[in-house]
Amino acid sequence: MAEERILAIVGPTASGKTRRAVDVAHALGGEIVSGDSRQVYRGMDLGTGKDLEEYGDIPFHLIDVAPAGSKYNLYEYLRDATDAIEGVKARRHVPVLCGGTGLYVESLLKGMRLPEVPENTELRASLEGKPLDELTKILEGMKTLHNITDVDTVKRAVRAIEIQTFYVEHPDMASMVSPASPLPSVIVGVEIDREARRRRITERLDARIEAGMIDEVRRSRIQVSHTSCTRGAILFRDARRSGNGNPPVRQAANDMVPRHGTPRVHHPLAPIRHAFG
């Protein structure tokens, strides 16, 4: 593989992509750059499934880079991931992108660069109290919605409107949003049978609970609010809710598997296929 290329290992939750990324990094002399939007937060190790022991002596980046409960967005990820990749190349190692979050991985590989969009307090005040469906209609009038995560919560919809408003007011900055050119890369998609994935999710959840995930969640109450926590991984969020006493932890775990063990679970292959064919 050409030295300047990025090797991207992508796949759904519990497909084993981290292990494959580690094996490849060992074989090629690589360093791993995480593409997971949840694992950037410190102190949420079990709940976000960092599995740091799998990395062994392989250097990794974009894990534990932000305080739990803080806001870490796509702009910050693209900035930090680009810096990390340049550092890996400067050391004459192979960047191995492992993910993760489809929006992050796709945007990075497409060469997307975003301007930093400041908070617009006046706009936010005008949008306060509006329901999600109304915010969605406002955003649809400003742009074509390619990504439903823009409008899966009121907070995200407000932020998306804020960003689009900034682009309208600063057309010179808006031109930066178009990808310059895709990064040279080799993309490896890891697939897994649905039932096998369901089984792995169940086993992994059980193991994390036994390892102390609920205690991790309870400790986090000091620094992470309930609304901030729901921005974290599915396991961390549901464990936090079960940690409050109802429903019991084990029942909550059992209830999660049919809901989150389906193809709706965290699957970055779709946008990658769409973007790169």
Side-chain angles (χ1 to χ4, degrees):
M1 186 173 64
E3 181 183 342
E4 70 276 7
R5 287 183 178 269
I6 296 171
L7 176 60
I9 309 246
V10 299
T13 297
S15 61
K17 56 187 176 291
T18 300
R19 171 47 53 192
R20 286 170 172 80
V22 169
D23 289 344
V24 167
H26 271 297
L28 299 180
E31 299 182 27
I32 292 177
V33 178
S34 173
D36 194 299
S37 65
R38 316 305 197 216
Q39 295 182 4
V40 298
Y41 297 109
R42 292 190 286 270
M44 300 167 66
D45 298 351
L46 294 169
T48 60
K50 292 174 185 172
D51 300 325
L52 297 178
E53 67 281 356
E54 287 194 32
Y55 292 93
D57 59 352
I58 296 296
F60 56 85
H61 308 273
L62 276 295
I63 295 178
D64 290 342
V65 297
S70 65
K71 297 178 182 179
Y72 189 91
N73 56 35
L74 178 61
Y75 162 78
E76 292 171 301
Y77 176 78
L78 293 176
R79 177 198 64 198
D80 296 344
T82 299
D83 289 346
I85 289 170
E86 290 177 354
V88 173
K89 290 181 176 180
R91 291 185 287 276
R92 303 187 66 80
H93 291 168
V94 177
V96 180
L97 178 64
C98 181
T101 301
L103 176 63
Y104 279 23
V105 173
E106 177 190 6
S107 299
L108 179 65
L109 293 179
K110 288 175 68 175
M112 184 77 72
R113 297 292 181 269
L114 297 178
E116 184 172 9
V117 178
E119 185 174 306
N120 186 330
T121 54
E122 184 177 343
L123 175 64
R124 291 193 175 205
S126 70
L127 298 174
E128 187 173 357
K130 293 186 183 297
L132 183 58
D133 58 348
E134 185 176 348
L135 294 171
T136 301
K137 289 179 181 178
I138 293 173
L139 188 59
E140 286 175 338
M142 304 177 76
K143 72 170 205 173
T144 301
L145 292 182
H146 296 296
N147 197 334
I148 61 172
T149 59
D150 282 346
V151 291
D152 63 356
T153 67
V154 167
K155 183 175 291 187
R156 288 190 177 186
V158 168
R159 178 57 178 167
I161 293 171
E162 186 174 58
I163 290 171
Q164 290 305 124
T165 301
F166 179 86
Y167 291 158
V168 170
E169 295 174 349
H170 302 84
D172 55 323
M173 303 292 281
S175 63
M176 295 174 56
V177 178
S178 300
S181 59
L183 301 184
S185 60
V186 174
I187 302 171
V188 178
V190 181
E191 290 280 20
I192 183 172
D193 173 75
R194 178 188 301 182
E195 289 305 316
R197 179 154 58 111
R198 188 190 303 269
R199 185 173 61 255
R200 284 191 185 181
I201 290 173
T202 303
E203 293 170 352
R204 189 161 67 173
L205 176 58
D206 286 342
R208 290 176 187 171
I209 289 175
E210 293 299 324
M213 183 174 71
I214 303 306
D215 289 337
E216 176 183 81
V217 173
R218 288 169 178 153
R219 288 195 302 271
S220 76
R221 290 178 182 175
I222 298 174
Q223 56 182 326
V224 184
S225 69
H226 177 75
T227 54
S228 293
C229 184
T230 56
R231 290 199 300 268
I234 290 169
L235 300 183
F236 191 90
R237 181 195 65 193
D238 286 7
R240 174 63 175 273
R241 291 172 178 169
S242 67
N244 289 332
N246 285 307
V249 172
R250 189 61 59 180
Q251 183 60 49
N254 292 337
D255 290 345
M256 283 174 61
V257 175
R259 185 168 80 253
H260 298 312
T262 66
R264 285 185 296 165
V265 174
H266 208 49
H267 202 315
L269 290 180
I272 295 297
R273 287 177 181 141
H274 175 74
F276 297 97

